[in-house]
Amino acid sequence: MAGTPLGEPGSAQHIVHLVSSGAATSRADLVRELGLAPSTVSLRVQELVDAGLLTESGEGASRGGRRPRLLRVAAHGGVALAADLGSHHARLGVVDAGGTVTDAVDLPHDITAGPESAVGWLCGQADALVARQRAEGRTVRAFGVAFPGPVQPGAGRVLSPSRMPGWHRYPLRDVLAERLGIPVTVDNDATMMAVGEHRVGRPELDHLVVVKAGRGIGSGIISAGRPHDGANGSAGDISHVRVDAAGDRPCSCGNIGCLETVASGAALIRELAGQGVEVADTTDLLRLVADGDPQATTLVRTAGRHIGTVLSVVVNFFNPQAVALGGVLATAEPLVAAVRGVLYERCLPLATADLEITTTVTGVDAGLLGAGLTALRPHLPTSPAAPTSPTAPTSPAAPASAASASQEESAPA
C-alpha cells in the first residue's frame, strides 16, 4: 500500500464520498467541488454509474438553468468487510465506497492467542457479515484488516509484532484470502486509522499524523496525500522511542525505556495497581478520570506529556498540517491537553504556526474506514490524470452527456 493515493481529488473514491456525504448531488456540483472540466467530471461519473457505484435519476431543484439529474450512491454498488484489530478487542463492520460504515460491532478477542485462533475467529465473523450483506442484496467485494503490529507493505505479512508470539512473518493476507475466497488487504492499524481520518474526515490535508493511544501507542502518517509505511512497514512506530522518564523499564519489544512503558494504557493500568488502585481495563481507567480521581488523572496527564515529547520531534521533523489524536485514551481531555501543551512548548514556532492539534473526526470508525476503503480501492474504476482547470476546453470526443454537465444549472446573467 506504500505510496498509494487514497481519495485524491477527482478519484473514484473522492467522487463517491462527495455524493455520499451530500456535498455534491449533481454533475454540476462536482464540477464546482473538484475544479475539473465538465467533460472530465461527466466521464468519471459515467464510469462510476457503469460500474454500479452511482445512480443518476430524477430531477433536482433548478438554480436558473436546466434542472439537474440527481446523483446517489448505488444501494447495491458493493461493499468491503473491515476489521480493526486490537490486542484484546476487535471492531468489525461494513464500509461502502462513499465512506459509510454499517453493521459495526465491538467484540472481545485476544490476538495474543496466536494466528490460527485469530484466523478462525475472523473467518467466522466475516462469513456471518457476508451472509447478512448478501441477504440484503449487497455485493461483498473485499475484506480489509487493520492489524496491531508492523505489516510488510504490499504483502500483508505480519513482521515482528510485540506481545504476539507466533505472528512473526505470518502471511495473514494470503491465508484469509484463501479461506474466505475474496480479495483481502492487511495493513498496520495506526496507518489505517490515518487513512480513514484523511480520506473521510480531512481530505483537504496533504500532511497529517494520526496517533492511536490505547492499550498500546502507534501513529499513522499521511505524506503528500498518501499513506507512508516506510521501507519495512515500521513508519510511525513511536511506541518504542526511548524517553528519559521511562528509565530502565523493560519493554515488550526487548528494549528498555520505551514510550510504551510509561504512556500506554497497559502501563497506566500497571502503575495504578502499584498505587493500590485496581482497574480491569482502559475503560475503568477512563471512568476514574471522568470522576476526577486524582491518581488516574495525574497519570493520564503525565502520559500525555510523554507522548507530546516524542511527537514534538515528529512535528519538527515532518512539519504536518495536523496532529489528530485517536484511540480510547484520546477521549481523556487531560491527555489531549497535555499533548497540545508540550507540542506548543517544544516545537519550533514555524512548525506550530498553522498546526491543528485535535482529536480524530472519524472517532472509533477511523480504522474501519481506512481498512475498508483500502480494500475497495482496486475495485473502483480509475481515470487518467486530467487538467484541473475548471475552464479547460471540452474534448471534441466527449459524449453528449459530458457537454450536458456544463449546461446544467447554468444561470442566465
Side-chain angles (χ1 to χ4, degrees):
M1 191 200 67
T4 301
L6 286 165
E8 59 189 9
S11 69
Q13 282 193 358
H14 188 206
I15 290 173
V16 174
H17 175 61
L18 287 173
V19 175
S20 175
S21 65
T25 60
S26 68
R27 299 188 187 207
D29 286 347
L30 288 171
V31 169
R32 285 190 292 269
E33 289 287 334
L34 298 173
L36 297 174
S39 58
T40 300
V41 169
S42 284
L43 287 170
R44 296 188 180 179
V45 167
Q46 193 59 49
E47 288 175 344
L48 292 166
V49 170
D50 292 343
L53 294 167
L54 292 181
T55 62
E56 191 173 30
S57 62
E59 290 186 341
S62 172
R63 297 180 183 176
R66 178 182 301 177
R67 291 168 66 87
R69 287 167 61 78
L70 295 177
L71 290 170
R72 295 184 177 88
V73 175
H76 309 304
V79 297
L81 310 182
D84 185 8
L85 304 180
S87 55
H88 292 85
H89 78 283
R91 184 169 176 82
L92 296 98
V94 176
V95 179
D96 68 21
T100 299
V101 176
T102 56
D103 292 331
V105 61
D106 289 293
L107 298 171
H109 176 67
D110 185 3
I111 203 166
T112 63
E116 294 304 325
S117 172
V119 166
W121 184 83
L122 268 178
C123 287
Q125 296 299 324
D127 285 340
L129 280 173
V130 168
R132 191 177 311 149
Q133 297 308 303
R134 288 177 177 168
E136 296 173 359
R138 306 173 85 184
T139 301
V140 175
R141 297 178 181 267
F143 184 22
V145 178
F147 187 84
V151 176
Q152 184 177 356
R157 183 186 299 272
V158 178
L159 298 175
S160 302
S162 301
R163 308 180 306 276
M164 298 182 196
W167 278 100
H168 179 52
R169 301 196 64 80
Y170 188 80
L172 182 57
R173 182 195 68 182
D174 294 344
V175 172
L176 286 174
E178 182 178 356
R179 291 273 296 271
L180 294 172
I182 58 176
V184 175
T185 59
V186 178
D187 295 277
N188 172 260
D189 60 342
T191 298
M192 289 297 91
M193 178 179 281
V195 169
E197 179 71 4
H198 175 246
R199 168 63 183 81
V200 176
R202 304 167 188 269
E204 75 284 358
L205 300 184
D206 291 323
H207 309 291
L208 171 68
V209 174
V210 176
V211 178
K212 182 176 183 179
R215 195 171 183 89
I217 303 173
S219 71
I221 301 168
I222 301 295
S223 177
R226 304 163 183 249
H228 179 71
D229 294 308
N232 298 313
S234 66
D237 194 354
I238 62 173
S239 188
H240 301 294
V241 173
R242 186 160 186 172
V243 293
D244 292 340
D248 293 330
R249 289 180 175 86
C251 182
S252 59
C253 71
N255 212 329
I256 59 172
C258 296
L259 175 66
E260 178 181 294
T261 66
V262 291
S264 66
L268 299 184
I269 290 171
R270 287 195 300 269
E271 183 65 25
L272 276 176
Q275 296 178 16
V277 181
E278 294 293 334
V279 293
D281 50 29
T282 50
T283 301
D284 283 352
L285 168 65
L286 294 174
R287 189 177 297 115
L288 288 176
V289 174
D291 289 341
D293 180 87
Q295 291 169 285
T297 301
T298 298
L299 281 177
V300 166
R301 183 180 292 113
T302 302
R305 292 194 62 82
H306 296 325
I307 294 171
T309 298
V310 172
L311 283 178
S312 67
V313 178
V314 175
V315 169
N316 279 334
F317 178 78
F318 178 51
N319 189 203
Q321 294 159 288
V323 173
L325 303 174
V328 65
L329 288 184
T331 61
E333 179 54 34
L335 182 138
V336 177
V339 170
R340 185 180 288 116
V342 171
L343 287 180
Y344 283 125
E345 174 189 331
R346 288 176 172 258
C347 292
L348 294 169
L350 184 60
T352 57
D354 300 308
L355 180 68
E356 181 185 2
I357 308 167
T358 185
T359 53
T360 55
V361 173
T362 49
V364 296
D365 286 331
L368 283 185
L369 287 165
L373 292 174
T374 298
L376 277 176
R377 191 172 191 277
H379 305 278
L380 296 176
T382 58
S383 298
T388 57
S389 170
T391 58
T394 301
S395 168
S401 60
S404 67
S406 63
Q407 300 169 6
E408 226 175 55
E409 297 187 6
S410 54

